[in-house]
Amino acid sequence: MSEQPTAARRTVIVTGGSRGIGRESARRLAADGHAVVVNYAGNRAAAEATVAAITEAGGTAVAFRADVADEVAVSALFDAAEEAFGGVDVLVHAAGVMSVTPMVDTELDALDRMHRTNIRGTFVVDQQAARRLRNGGAIVNISSSVLGLAFPGYTAYAAGKGAVEAMTLILARELRGRDITVNAVAPGPTVTDLFLEGKDEETLARMATQAPLERLGRPEDIAEVVSFLAGPARWVNGQVLRANGGII
């Protein structure tokens, strides 16, 4: 295992880094001074746009395609990060898919797709991170506050995020002695393409009033928490931070 890198620069892999919370987290971490590997599943143009935004702002980033549920592809992702930057210090696992349908109407193919990406994908990516992060590193998984909010239609998605939180808490304990923190961020309603899909203006307005701050979350709100857990928060470990503006 490599020695801990200097605080001035760490290498970060952000899965799902081409859009939404993953994209904003990649941009924030690059602005913090870290080298970032932007992982994407299929939208190469969006990933390259994220990299371009980072480099234009003076940061360092590269893009790499990998299906997070494919262990060979994820191993290659870590190989590429190590080859480009000498090692990996932080994993931000933001890749995920969502289908909002009542349980009685949910197609099992949709359930399987969500579970493959959201559960197997988290297991595969976190497993590789546990094997290869340098000491002093951090793993940050993205969960969801929907576990506590229990919105109708989110049964399958929430079940997957429950698994993400279970893996997060247990892995933190399994890495005893490694000086690697493992936490999860659980956003509330946040304005991303994934969240907005299928919602009308009335629904969005109603959801915006749920938080005492009376607005929907923004990706940069979540990226701020990710930045904290990825860097200075060395005494926060095995926790789920509910970044939802105070809804629950």
Side-chain angles (χ1 to χ4, degrees), residues 190-230:
T190 304
V191 181
T192 65
D193 291 342
L194 188 67
F195 170 74
L196 293 174
E197 185 176 352
K199 295 181 177 68
D200 58 28
E201 290 298 324
E202 181 181 353
T203 299
L204 295 173
R206 184 177 67 252
M207 297 181 83
T209 65
Q210 292 178 319
L213 298 176
E214 295 189 336
R215 66 171 174 85
L216 294 171
R218 296 184 285 261
E220 55 265 35
D221 296 322
I222 311 307
E224 183 176 44
V225 181
V226 169
S227 172
F228 173 65
L229 294 175

PDB file of all heavy atoms in Angstrom, residues 190-230:
ATOM      1  N   THR A 190     -33.193  17.254  -5.141  1.00  0.00           N
ATOM      2  CA  THR A 190     -32.100  18.066  -5.687  1.00  0.00           C
ATOM      3  C   THR A 190     -32.298  18.214  -7.187  1.00  0.00           C
ATOM      4  O   THR A 190     -32.612  17.242  -7.880  1.00  0.00           O
ATOM      5  CB  THR A 190     -30.741  17.406  -5.394  1.00  0.00           C
ATOM      6  OG1 THR A 190     -30.618  17.199  -3.980  1.00  0.00           O
ATOM      7  CG2 THR A 190     -29.590  18.264  -5.875  1.00  0.00           C
ATOM      8  N   VAL A 191     -32.091  19.411  -7.686  1.00  0.00           N
ATOM      9  CA  VAL A 191     -32.384  19.718  -9.088  1.00  0.00           C
ATOM     10  C   VAL A 191     -31.321  19.113  -9.999  1.00  0.00           C
ATOM     11  O   VAL A 191     -30.290  19.731 -10.299  1.00  0.00           O
ATOM     12  CB  VAL A 191     -32.480  21.236  -9.308  1.00  0.00           C
ATOM     13  CG1 VAL A 191     -32.822  21.536 -10.773  1.00  0.00           C
ATOM     14  CG2 VAL A 191     -33.539  21.832  -8.401  1.00  0.00           C
ATOM     15  N   THR A 192     -31.557  17.883 -10.411  1.00  0.00           N
ATOM     16  CA  THR A 192     -30.737  17.210 -11.409  1.00  0.00           C
ATOM     17  C   THR A 192     -31.669  16.637 -12.475  1.00  0.00           C
ATOM     18  O   THR A 192     -32.881  16.513 -12.250  1.00  0.00           O
ATOM     19  CB  THR A 192     -29.927  16.056 -10.789  1.00  0.00           C
ATOM     20  OG1 THR A 192     -30.844  15.042 -10.314  1.00  0.00           O
ATOM     21  CG2 THR A 192     -29.075  16.540  -9.622  1.00  0.00           C
ATOM     22  N   ASP A 193     -31.110  16.263 -13.606  1.00  0.00           N
ATOM     23  CA  ASP A 193     -31.930  15.662 -14.664  1.00  0.00           C
ATOM     24  C   ASP A 193     -32.614  14.400 -14.159  1.00  0.00           C
ATOM     25  O   ASP A 193     -33.785  14.134 -14.481  1.00  0.00           O
ATOM     26  CB  ASP A 193     -31.069  15.336 -15.886  1.00  0.00           C
ATOM     27  CG  ASP A 193     -30.583  16.586 -16.608  1.00  0.00           C
ATOM     28  OD1 ASP A 193     -31.165  17.654 -16.391  1.00  0.00           O
ATOM     29  OD2 ASP A 193     -29.593  16.475 -17.376  1.00  0.00           O
ATOM     30  N   LEU A 194     -31.905  13.615 -13.351  1.00  0.00           N
ATOM     31  CA  LEU A 194     -32.464  12.374 -12.818  1.00  0.00           C
ATOM     32  C   LEU A 194     -33.687  12.659 -11.959  1.00  0.00           C
ATOM     33  O   LEU A 194     -34.712  11.978 -12.055  1.00  0.00           O
ATOM     34  CB  LEU A 194     -31.390  11.652 -11.993  1.00  0.00           C
ATOM     35  CG  LEU A 194     -31.717  10.237 -11.504  1.00  0.00           C
ATOM     36  CD1 LEU A 194     -31.823   9.277 -12.672  1.00  0.00           C
ATOM     37  CD2 LEU A 194     -30.650   9.757 -10.526  1.00  0.00           C
ATOM     38  N   PHE A 195     -33.599  13.684 -11.121  1.00  0.00           N
ATOM     39  CA  PHE A 195     -34.711  14.030 -10.227  1.00  0.00           C
ATOM     40  C   PHE A 195     -35.870  14.679 -10.978  1.00  0.00           C
ATOM     41  O   PHE A 195     -37.043  14.415 -10.696  1.00  0.00           O
ATOM     42  CB  PHE A 195     -34.211  14.976  -9.131  1.00  0.00           C
ATOM     43  CG  PHE A 195     -35.312  15.584  -8.304  1.00  0.00           C
ATOM     44  CD1 PHE A 195     -35.983  14.822  -7.354  1.00  0.00           C
ATOM     45  CD2 PHE A 195     -35.693  16.905  -8.484  1.00  0.00           C
ATOM     46  CE1 PHE A 195     -37.016  15.374  -6.605  1.00  0.00           C
ATOM     47  CE2 PHE A 195     -36.712  17.466  -7.737  1.00  0.00           C
ATOM     48  CZ  PHE A 195     -37.368  16.697  -6.784  1.00  0.00           C
ATOM     49  N   LEU A 196     -35.575  15.538 -11.931  1.00  0.00           N
ATOM     50  CA  LEU A 196     -36.617  16.302 -12.619  1.00  0.00           C
ATOM     51  C   LEU A 196     -37.465  15.462 -13.566  1.00  0.00           C
ATOM     52  O   LEU A 196     -38.608  15.821 -13.861  1.00  0.00           O
ATOM     53  CB  LEU A 196     -35.978  17.449 -13.403  1.00  0.00           C
ATOM     54  CG  LEU A 196     -35.327  18.560 -12.566  1.00  0.00           C
ATOM     55  CD1 LEU A 196     -34.615  19.547 -13.487  1.00  0.00           C
ATOM     56  CD2 LEU A 196     -36.353  19.278 -11.704  1.00  0.00           C
ATOM     57  N   GLU A 197     -36.913  14.348 -14.027  1.00  0.00           N
ATOM     58  CA  GLU A 197     -37.607  13.542 -15.036  1.00  0.00           C
ATOM     59  C   GLU A 197     -38.996  13.125 -14.550  1.00  0.00           C
ATOM     60  O   GLU A 197     -39.159  12.534 -13.487  1.00  0.00           O
ATOM     61  CB  GLU A 197     -36.783  12.296 -15.369  1.00  0.00           C
ATOM     62  CG  GLU A 197     -37.368  11.464 -16.490  1.00  0.00           C
ATOM     63  CD  GLU A 197     -36.490  10.282 -16.868  1.00  0.00           C
ATOM     64  OE1 GLU A 197     -35.362  10.193 -16.356  1.00  0.00           O
ATOM     65  OE2 GLU A 197     -36.947   9.455 -17.671  1.00  0.00           O
ATOM     66  N   GLY A 198     -39.999  13.461 -15.342  1.00  0.00           N
ATOM     67  CA  GLY A 198     -41.360  13.026 -15.062  1.00  0.00           C
ATOM     68  C   GLY A 198     -42.121  13.873 -14.054  1.00  0.00           C
ATOM     69  O   GLY A 198     -43.273  13.542 -13.721  1.00  0.00           O
ATOM     70  N   LYS A 199     -41.531  14.956 -13.548  1.00  0.00           N
ATOM     71  CA  LYS A 199     -42.193  15.781 -12.533  1.00  0.00           C
ATOM     72  C   LYS A 199     -42.680  17.081 -13.158  1.00  0.00           C
ATOM     73  O   LYS A 199     -41.931  17.759 -13.866  1.00  0.00           O
ATOM     74  CB  LYS A 199     -41.240  16.067 -11.369  1.00  0.00           C
ATOM     75  CG  LYS A 199     -40.835  14.828 -10.594  1.00  0.00           C
ATOM     76  CD  LYS A 199     -39.904  15.183  -9.446  1.00  0.00           C
ATOM     77  CE  LYS A 199     -39.554  13.944  -8.624  1.00  0.00           C
ATOM     78  NZ  LYS A 199     -38.729  12.996  -9.369  1.00  0.00           N
ATOM     79  N   ASP A 200     -43.927  17.459 -12.847  1.00  0.00           N
ATOM     80  CA  ASP A 200     -44.459  18.717 -13.365  1.00  0.00           C
ATOM     81  C   ASP A 200     -44.141  19.864 -12.414  1.00  0.00           C
ATOM     82  O   ASP A 200     -43.643  19.660 -11.299  1.00  0.00           O
ATOM     83  CB  ASP A 200     -45.971  18.613 -13.623  1.00  0.00           C
ATOM     84  CG  ASP A 200     -46.766  18.229 -12.369  1.00  0.00           C
ATOM     85  OD1 ASP A 200     -46.316  18.543 -11.243  1.00  0.00           O
ATOM     86  OD2 ASP A 200     -47.836  17.618 -12.525  1.00  0.00           O
ATOM     87  N   GLU A 201     -44.448  21.091 -12.838  1.00  0.00           N
ATOM     88  CA  GLU A 201     -44.114  22.275 -12.051  1.00  0.00           C
ATOM     89  C   GLU A 201     -44.824  22.286 -10.702  1.00  0.00           C
ATOM     90  O   GLU A 201     -44.269  22.716  -9.693  1.00  0.00           O
ATOM     91  CB  GLU A 201     -44.457  23.538 -12.845  1.00  0.00           C
ATOM     92  CG  GLU A 201     -43.556  23.790 -14.040  1.00  0.00           C
ATOM     93  CD  GLU A 201     -42.105  24.004 -13.628  1.00  0.00           C
ATOM     94  OE1 GLU A 201     -41.869  24.613 -12.568  1.00  0.00           O
ATOM     95  OE2 GLU A 201     -41.215  23.546 -14.367  1.00  0.00           O
ATOM     96  N   GLU A 202     -46.055  21.809 -10.672  1.00  0.00           N
ATOM     97  CA  GLU A 202     -46.811  21.784  -9.410  1.00  0.00           C
ATOM     98  C   GLU A 202     -46.137  20.870  -8.395  1.00  0.00           C
ATOM     99  O   GLU A 202     -46.004  21.207  -7.212  1.00  0.00           O
ATOM    100  CB  GLU A 202     -48.246  21.327  -9.672  1.00  0.00           C
ATOM    101  CG  GLU A 202     -49.099  21.287  -8.409  1.00  0.00           C
ATOM    102  CD  GLU A 202     -50.523  20.806  -8.686  1.00  0.00           C
ATOM    103  OE1 GLU A 202     -50.885  20.641  -9.876  1.00  0.00           O
ATOM    104  OE2 GLU A 202     -51.271  20.601  -7.718  1.00  0.00           O
ATOM    105  N   THR A 203     -45.702  19.712  -8.867  1.00  0.00           N
ATOM    106  CA  THR A 203     -45.010  18.770  -7.982  1.00  0.00           C
ATOM    107  C   THR A 203     -43.720  19.365  -7.457  1.00  0.00           C
ATOM    108  O   THR A 203     -43.407  19.275  -6.258  1.00  0.00           O
ATOM    109  CB  THR A 203     -44.721  17.456  -8.732  1.00  0.00           C
ATOM    110  OG1 THR A 203     -45.957  16.860  -9.137  1.00  0.00           O
ATOM    111  CG2 THR A 203     -43.954  16.478  -7.845  1.00  0.00           C
ATOM    112  N   LEU A 204     -42.953  19.999  -8.338  1.00  0.00           N
ATOM    113  CA  LEU A 204     -41.684  20.590  -7.925  1.00  0.00           C
ATOM    114  C   LEU A 204     -41.900  21.722  -6.926  1.00  0.00           C
ATOM    115  O   LEU A 204     -41.156  21.852  -5.936  1.00  0.00           O
ATOM    116  CB  LEU A 204     -40.925  21.102  -9.149  1.00  0.00           C
ATOM    117  CG  LEU A 204     -40.464  20.024 -10.144  1.00  0.00           C
ATOM    118  CD1 LEU A 204     -39.873  20.673 -11.386  1.00  0.00           C
ATOM    119  CD2 LEU A 204     -39.453  19.090  -9.493  1.00  0.00           C
ATOM    120  N   ALA A 205     -42.922  22.532  -7.151  1.00  0.00           N
ATOM    121  CA  ALA A 205     -43.211  23.632  -6.234  1.00  0.00           C
ATOM    122  C   ALA A 205     -43.601  23.100  -4.863  1.00  0.00           C
ATOM    123  O   ALA A 205     -43.191  23.651  -3.827  1.00  0.00           O
ATOM    124  CB  ALA A 205     -44.316  24.509  -6.807  1.00  0.00           C
ATOM    125  N   ARG A 206     -44.386  22.042  -4.838  1.00  0.00           N
ATOM    126  CA  ARG A 206     -44.794  21.441  -3.562  1.00  0.00           C
ATOM    127  C   ARG A 206     -43.590  20.866  -2.819  1.00  0.00           C
ATOM    128  O   ARG A 206     -43.443  21.054  -1.605  1.00  0.00           O
ATOM    129  CB  ARG A 206     -45.835  20.346  -3.812  1.00  0.00           C
ATOM    130  CG  ARG A 206     -46.379  19.731  -2.516  1.00  0.00           C
ATOM    131  CD  ARG A 206     -47.458  18.710  -2.787  1.00  0.00           C
ATOM    132  NE  ARG A 206     -46.945  17.533  -3.470  1.00  0.00           N
ATOM    133  CZ  ARG A 206     -47.167  17.236  -4.731  1.00  0.00           C
ATOM    134  NH1 ARG A 206     -47.883  18.042  -5.501  1.00  0.00           N
ATOM    135  NH2 ARG A 206     -46.682  16.144  -5.279  1.00  0.00           N
ATOM    136  N   MET A 207     -42.717  20.213  -3.535  1.00  0.00           N
ATOM    137  CA  MET A 207     -41.543  19.620  -2.897  1.00  0.00           C
ATOM    138  C   MET A 207     -40.592  20.699  -2.385  1.00  0.00           C
ATOM    139  O   MET A 207     -39.921  20.516  -1.370  1.00  0.00           O
ATOM    140  CB  MET A 207     -40.837  18.680  -3.874  1.00  0.00           C
ATOM    141  CG  MET A 207     -41.682  17.496  -4.287  1.00  0.00           C
ATOM    142  SD  MET A 207     -40.842  16.360  -5.410  1.00  0.00           S
ATOM    143  CE  MET A 207     -39.909  15.384  -4.248  1.00  0.00           C
ATOM    144  N   ALA A 208     -40.547  21.826  -3.083  1.00  0.00           N
ATOM    145  CA  ALA A 208     -39.652  22.913  -2.669  1.00  0.00           C
ATOM    146  C   ALA A 208     -40.054  23.499  -1.325  1.00  0.00           C
ATOM    147  O   ALA A 208     -39.215  24.062  -0.614  1.00  0.00           O
ATOM    148  CB  ALA A 208     -39.626  24.004  -3.728  1.00  0.00           C
ATOM    149  N   THR A 209     -41.328  23.370  -0.947  1.00  0.00           N
ATOM    150  CA  THR A 209     -41.788  23.936   0.324  1.00  0.00           C
ATOM    151  C   THR A 209     -41.540  23.012   1.512  1.00  0.00           C
ATOM    152  O   THR A 209     -41.752  23.422   2.659  1.00  0.00           O
ATOM    153  CB  THR A 209     -43.291  24.252   0.261  1.00  0.00           C
ATOM    154  OG1 THR A 209     -44.037  23.036   0.118  1.00  0.00           O
ATOM    155  CG2 THR A 209     -43.601  25.188  -0.896  1.00  0.00           C
ATOM    156  N   GLN A 210     -41.110  21.795   1.266  1.00  0.00           N
ATOM    157  CA  GLN A 210     -40.950  20.833   2.360  1.00  0.00           C
ATOM    158  C   GLN A 210     -39.793  21.188   3.289  1.00  0.00           C
ATOM    159  O   GLN A 210     -39.868  20.972   4.496  1.00  0.00           O
ATOM    160  CB  GLN A 210     -40.763  19.419   1.793  1.00  0.00           C
ATOM    161  CG  GLN A 210     -42.001  18.873   1.112  1.00  0.00           C
ATOM    162  CD  GLN A 210     -41.756  17.497   0.527  1.00  0.00           C
ATOM    163  OE1 GLN A 210     -40.708  17.231  -0.052  1.00  0.00           O
ATOM    164  NE2 GLN A 210     -42.724  16.613   0.678  1.00  0.00           N
ATOM    165  N   ALA A 211     -38.711  21.710   2.734  1.00  0.00           N
ATOM    166  CA  ALA A 211     -37.565  22.072   3.568  1.00  0.00           C
ATOM    167  C   ALA A 211     -37.809  23.425   4.228  1.00  0.00           C
ATOM    168  O   ALA A 211     -38.400  24.319   3.624  1.00  0.00           O
ATOM    169  CB  ALA A 211     -36.292  22.142   2.715  1.00  0.00           C
ATOM    170  N   PRO A 212     -37.356  23.606   5.471  1.00  0.00           N
ATOM    171  CA  PRO A 212     -37.473  24.915   6.119  1.00  0.00           C
ATOM    172  C   PRO A 212     -36.810  26.033   5.318  1.00  0.00           C
ATOM    173  O   PRO A 212     -37.208  27.198   5.433  1.00  0.00           O
ATOM    174  CB  PRO A 212     -36.767  24.700   7.462  1.00  0.00           C
ATOM    175  CG  PRO A 212     -36.899  23.240   7.735  1.00  0.00           C
ATOM    176  CD  PRO A 212     -36.815  22.587   6.393  1.00  0.00           C
ATOM    177  N   LEU A 213     -35.822  25.710   4.507  1.00  0.00           N
ATOM    178  CA  LEU A 213     -35.175  26.715   3.668  1.00  0.00           C
ATOM    179  C   LEU A 213     -36.001  27.062   2.432  1.00  0.00           C
ATOM    180  O   LEU A 213     -35.653  27.950   1.669  1.00  0.00           O
ATOM    181  CB  LEU A 213     -33.780  26.228   3.251  1.00  0.00           C
ATOM    182  CG  LEU A 213     -32.810  26.008   4.420  1.00  0.00           C
ATOM    183  CD1 LEU A 213     -31.496  25.430   3.921  1.00  0.00           C
ATOM    184  CD2 LEU A 213     -32.567  27.303   5.167  1.00  0.00           C
ATOM    185  N   GLU A 214     -37.091  26.312   2.217  1.00  0.00           N
ATOM    186  CA  GLU A 214     -38.086  26.581   1.177  1.00  0.00           C
ATOM    187  C   GLU A 214     -37.502  26.672  -0.231  1.00  0.00           C
ATOM    188  O   GLU A 214     -37.801  27.592  -0.999  1.00  0.00           O
ATOM    189  CB  GLU A 214     -38.887  27.847   1.524  1.00  0.00           C
ATOM    190  CG  GLU A 214     -39.714  27.674   2.792  1.00  0.00           C
ATOM    191  CD  GLU A 214     -40.667  28.821   3.040  1.00  0.00           C
ATOM    192  OE1 GLU A 214     -40.402  29.930   2.529  1.00  0.00           O
ATOM    193  OE2 GLU A 214     -41.671  28.599   3.735  1.00  0.00           O
ATOM    194  N   ARG A 215     -36.684  25.696  -0.566  1.00  0.00           N
ATOM    195  CA  ARG A 215     -36.206  25.559  -1.938  1.00  0.00           C
ATOM    196  C   ARG A 215     -35.759  24.124  -2.147  1.00  0.00           C
ATOM    197  O   ARG A 215     -35.572  23.369  -1.187  1.00  0.00           O
ATOM    198  CB  ARG A 215     -35.047  26.515  -2.220  1.00  0.00           C
ATOM    199  CG  ARG A 215     -33.759  26.231  -1.450  1.00  0.00           C
ATOM    200  CD  ARG A 215     -32.626  27.105  -1.971  1.00  0.00           C
ATOM    201  NE  ARG A 215     -31.400  26.997  -1.208  1.00  0.00           N
ATOM    202  CZ  ARG A 215     -30.463  26.052  -1.402  1.00  0.00           C
ATOM    203  NH1 ARG A 215     -30.638  25.107  -2.321  1.00  0.00           N
ATOM    204  NH2 ARG A 215     -29.359  26.044  -0.677  1.00  0.00           N
ATOM    205  N   LEU A 216     -35.596  23.757  -3.383  1.00  0.00           N
ATOM    206  CA  LEU A 216     -34.999  22.470  -3.711  1.00  0.00           C
ATOM    207  C   LEU A 216     -33.481  22.563  -3.556  1.00  0.00           C
ATOM    208  O   LEU A 216     -32.898  23.647  -3.664  1.00  0.00           O
ATOM    209  CB  LEU A 216     -35.348  22.061  -5.137  1.00  0.00           C
ATOM    210  CG  LEU A 216     -36.825  21.775  -5.409  1.00  0.00           C
ATOM    211  CD1 LEU A 216     -37.053  21.609  -6.904  1.00  0.00           C
ATOM    212  CD2 LEU A 216     -37.305  20.537  -4.653  1.00  0.00           C
ATOM    213  N   GLY A 217     -32.857  21.438  -3.316  1.00  0.00           N
ATOM    214  CA  GLY A 217     -31.404  21.413  -3.261  1.00  0.00           C
ATOM    215  C   GLY A 217     -30.806  21.624  -4.641  1.00  0.00           C
ATOM    216  O   GLY A 217     -31.461  21.413  -5.670  1.00  0.00           O
ATOM    217  N   ARG A 218     -29.565  22.070  -4.651  1.00  0.00           N
ATOM    218  CA  ARG A 218     -28.818  22.228  -5.894  1.00  0.00           C
ATOM    219  C   ARG A 218     -27.612  21.296  -5.857  1.00  0.00           C
ATOM    220  O   ARG A 218     -27.092  20.986  -4.769  1.00  0.00           O
ATOM    221  CB  ARG A 218     -28.377  23.682  -6.061  1.00  0.00           C
ATOM    222  CG  ARG A 218     -29.522  24.666  -6.195  1.00  0.00           C
ATOM    223  CD  ARG A 218     -29.025  26.070  -6.459  1.00  0.00           C
ATOM    224  NE  ARG A 218     -28.471  26.676  -5.262  1.00  0.00           N
ATOM    225  CZ  ARG A 218     -29.123  27.531  -4.462  1.00  0.00           C
ATOM    226  NH1 ARG A 218     -30.368  27.863  -4.743  1.00  0.00           N
ATOM    227  NH2 ARG A 218     -28.526  28.054  -3.408  1.00  0.00           N
ATOM    228  N   PRO A 219     -27.131  20.837  -7.007  1.00  0.00           N
ATOM    229  CA  PRO A 219     -25.973  19.940  -7.004  1.00  0.00           C
ATOM    230  C   PRO A 219     -24.786  20.498  -6.236  1.00  0.00           C
ATOM    231  O   PRO A 219     -24.071  19.752  -5.568  1.00  0.00           O
ATOM    232  CB  PRO A 219     -25.662  19.769  -8.498  1.00  0.00           C
ATOM    233  CG  PRO A 219     -26.984  19.930  -9.171  1.00  0.00           C
ATOM    234  CD  PRO A 219     -27.692  20.988  -8.373  1.00  0.00           C
ATOM    235  N   GLU A 220     -24.582  21.815  -6.280  1.00  0.00           N
ATOM    236  CA  GLU A 220     -23.454  22.399  -5.548  1.00  0.00           C
ATOM    237  C   GLU A 220     -23.624  22.295  -4.033  1.00  0.00           C
ATOM    238  O   GLU A 220     -22.639  22.266  -3.291  1.00  0.00           O
ATOM    239  CB  GLU A 220     -23.223  23.847  -5.976  1.00  0.00           C
ATOM    240  CG  GLU A 220     -24.421  24.747  -5.865  1.00  0.00           C
ATOM    241  CD  GLU A 220     -25.190  24.879  -7.168  1.00  0.00           C
ATOM    242  OE1 GLU A 220     -25.264  23.886  -7.917  1.00  0.00           O
ATOM    243  OE2 GLU A 220     -25.712  25.988  -7.423  1.00  0.00           O
ATOM    244  N   ASP A 221     -24.885  22.222  -3.556  1.00  0.00           N
ATOM    245  CA  ASP A 221     -25.108  21.995  -2.128  1.00  0.00           C
ATOM    246  C   ASP A 221     -24.560  20.637  -1.707  1.00  0.00           C
ATOM    247  O   ASP A 221     -23.954  20.492  -0.636  1.00  0.00           O
ATOM    248  CB  ASP A 221     -26.610  22.038  -1.804  1.00  0.00           C
ATOM    249  CG  ASP A 221     -27.236  23.392  -2.044  1.00  0.00           C
ATOM    250  OD1 ASP A 221     -26.580  24.406  -1.763  1.00  0.00           O
ATOM    251  OD2 ASP A 221     -28.397  23.431  -2.506  1.00  0.00           O
ATOM    252  N   ILE A 222     -24.794  19.647  -2.542  1.00  0.00           N
ATOM    253  CA  ILE A 222     -24.341  18.295  -2.228  1.00  0.00           C
ATOM    254  C   ILE A 222     -22.832  18.187  -2.419  1.00  0.00           C
ATOM    255  O   ILE A 222     -22.134  17.550  -1.625  1.00  0.00           O
ATOM    256  CB  ILE A 222     -25.068  17.264  -3.108  1.00  0.00           C
ATOM    257  CG1 ILE A 222     -26.585  17.514  -3.083  1.00  0.00           C
ATOM    258  CG2 ILE A 222     -24.742  15.853  -2.624  1.00  0.00           C
ATOM    259  CD1 ILE A 222     -27.210  17.590  -1.715  1.00  0.00           C
ATOM    260  N   ALA A 223     -22.311  18.831  -3.447  1.00  0.00           N
ATOM    261  CA  ALA A 223     -20.868  18.797  -3.696  1.00  0.00           C
ATOM    262  C   ALA A 223     -20.088  19.392  -2.532  1.00  0.00           C
ATOM    263  O   ALA A 223     -18.973  18.948  -2.232  1.00  0.00           O
ATOM    264  CB  ALA A 223     -20.547  19.551  -4.988  1.00  0.00           C
ATOM    265  N   GLU A 224     -20.667  20.374  -1.863  1.00  0.00           N
ATOM    266  CA  GLU A 224     -20.012  20.971  -0.700  1.00  0.00           C
ATOM    267  C   GLU A 224     -19.825  19.944   0.406  1.00  0.00           C
ATOM    268  O   GLU A 224     -18.773  19.877   1.057  1.00  0.00           O
ATOM    269  CB  GLU A 224     -20.844  22.149  -0.197  1.00  0.00           C
ATOM    270  CG  GLU A 224     -20.238  22.898   0.973  1.00  0.00           C
ATOM    271  CD  GLU A 224     -21.063  24.110   1.346  1.00  0.00           C
ATOM    272  OE1 GLU A 224     -22.302  24.001   1.400  1.00  0.00           O
ATOM    273  OE2 GLU A 224     -20.449  25.173   1.578  1.00  0.00           O
ATOM    274  N   VAL A 225     -20.843  19.111   0.629  1.00  0.00           N
ATOM    275  CA  VAL A 225     -20.751  18.062   1.648  1.00  0.00           C
ATOM    276  C   VAL A 225     -19.756  16.989   1.214  1.00  0.00           C
ATOM    277  O   VAL A 225     -18.964  16.492   2.022  1.00  0.00           O
ATOM    278  CB  VAL A 225     -22.137  17.444   1.915  1.00  0.00           C
ATOM    279  CG1 VAL A 225     -22.052  16.369   2.997  1.00  0.00           C
ATOM    280  CG2 VAL A 225     -23.138  18.513   2.322  1.00  0.00           C
ATOM    281  N   VAL A 226     -19.798  16.631  -0.066  1.00  0.00           N
ATOM    282  CA  VAL A 226     -18.844  15.653  -0.600  1.00  0.00           C
ATOM    283  C   VAL A 226     -17.416  16.147  -0.398  1.00  0.00           C
ATOM    284  O   VAL A 226     -16.529  15.388   0.030  1.00  0.00           O
ATOM    285  CB  VAL A 226     -19.132  15.386  -2.092  1.00  0.00           C
ATOM    286  CG1 VAL A 226     -17.992  14.576  -2.723  1.00  0.00           C
ATOM    287  CG2 VAL A 226     -20.457  14.655  -2.258  1.00  0.00           C
ATOM    288  N   SER A 227     -17.169  17.416  -0.688  1.00  0.00           N
ATOM    289  CA  SER A 227     -15.840  17.994  -0.510  1.00  0.00           C
ATOM    290  C   SER A 227     -15.374  17.876   0.935  1.00  0.00           C
ATOM    291  O   SER A 227     -14.210  17.551   1.202  1.00  0.00           O
ATOM    292  CB  SER A 227     -15.867  19.468  -0.940  1.00  0.00           C
ATOM    293  OG  SER A 227     -14.658  20.125  -0.610  1.00  0.00           O
ATOM    294  N   PHE A 228     -16.259  18.124   1.864  1.00  0.00           N
ATOM    295  CA  PHE A 228     -15.939  18.013   3.293  1.00  0.00           C
ATOM    296  C   PHE A 228     -15.539  16.584   3.653  1.00  0.00           C
ATOM    297  O   PHE A 228     -14.514  16.345   4.296  1.00  0.00           O
ATOM    298  CB  PHE A 228     -17.150  18.461   4.106  1.00  0.00           C
ATOM    299  CG  PHE A 228     -17.039  18.246   5.584  1.00  0.00           C
ATOM    300  CD1 PHE A 228     -16.088  18.922   6.345  1.00  0.00           C
ATOM    301  CD2 PHE A 228     -17.910  17.379   6.232  1.00  0.00           C
ATOM    302  CE1 PHE A 228     -16.002  18.737   7.718  1.00  0.00           C
ATOM    303  CE2 PHE A 228     -17.825  17.183   7.600  1.00  0.00           C
ATOM    304  CZ  PHE A 228     -16.874  17.860   8.352  1.00  0.00           C
ATOM    305  N   LEU A 229     -16.324  15.613   3.205  1.00  0.00           N
ATOM    306  CA  LEU A 229     -16.043  14.216   3.542  1.00  0.00           C
ATOM    307  C   LEU A 229     -14.822  13.681   2.810  1.00  0.00           C
ATOM    308  O   LEU A 229     -14.133  12.793   3.314  1.00  0.00           O
ATOM    309  CB  LEU A 229     -17.261  13.348   3.227  1.00  0.00           C
ATOM    310  CG  LEU A 229     -18.510  13.609   4.071  1.00  0.00           C
ATOM    311  CD1 LEU A 229     -19.666  12.776   3.561  1.00  0.00           C
ATOM    312  CD2 LEU A 229     -18.237  13.311   5.534  1.00  0.00           C
ATOM    313  N   ALA A 230     -14.535  14.219   1.635  1.00  0.00           N
ATOM    314  CA  ALA A 230     -13.401  13.755   0.834  1.00  0.00           C
ATOM    315  C   ALA A 230     -12.073  14.305   1.327  1.00  0.00           C
ATOM    316  O   ALA A 230     -11.019  13.756   1.006  1.00  0.00           O
ATOM    317  CB  ALA A 230     -13.592  14.147  -0.623  1.00  0.00           C
TER     318      ALA A 230
END
